[in-house]
């Protein structure tokens, strides 16, 4: 059911300040930067083997990432799990008693369909389901 760890999301205050660590020190290739207006974030994807690291910079104080940084500081925000059929997977997870933040998939970075599980149902970890068309 779960294909892979698609990416690990890391909340950062500034992409410009954070990127040199990932690109110069860790020497991870930068795959691109985009803005996801619906989530009020700028996102940088870096290739890390078969997975990615997603840096998330808030573009507004109302951004969920801004609130996360304010409460918990910068650092790991979520783990994204790659799935083939996100709607089917959401239904299966809900049948197991897991509360979803998103009962229906929504568009995320990289044009993926995403949905988050509520951390109260997962032992305090924020998990994202991530379905991408035509990609592993």
């Amino acid at each position: 059911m779960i294909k892979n760890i698609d990416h690990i999301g890391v909340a950062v205050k500034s992409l410009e300040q954070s990127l040199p660590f990932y690109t110069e020190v860790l020497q991870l290739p930068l795959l691109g930067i985009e803005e996801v207006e619906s989530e009020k974030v700028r996102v940088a994807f870096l290739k890390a083997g078969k997975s990615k690291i997603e840096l998330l910079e808030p573009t507004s104080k109302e951004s969920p990432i801004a609130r996360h940084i304010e409460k918990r500081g910068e650092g790991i925000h979520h783990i994204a799990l790659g799935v083939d059929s996100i709607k089917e997977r959401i239904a299966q997870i809900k049948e197991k008693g897991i509360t979803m933040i998103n009962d229906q998939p929504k568009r995320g970075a990289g044009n993926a369909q995403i949905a988050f599980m509520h951390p109260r149902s997962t032992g305090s970890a924020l998990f994202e389901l991530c379905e991408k068309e035509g990609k592993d």
Side-chain angles (χ1 to χ4, degrees), residues 11 38-41 58 60-70 72 77 106:
S38 63
E39 299 300 309
K40 299 179 177 94
V41 292
S60 164
K61 291 180 182 178
E62 290 79 41
S63 165
I65 296 301
R67 291 191 302 270
H68 174 86
I69 291 171
E70 186 177 310
R72 296 177 186 89
H77 179 260
K106 62 181 182 175

Side-chain angles (χ1 to χ4, degrees), residues 107-134:
R107 181 93 32 221
N111 216 23
Q113 291 291 313
I114 64 168
F116 285 91
M117 292 177 234
H118 202 290
R120 283 190 301 249
S121 295
T122 65
S124 297
L126 182 60
F127 285 98
E128 173 187 6
L129 301 177
C130 182
E131 179 183 347
K132 295 181 178 176
E133 278 189 38

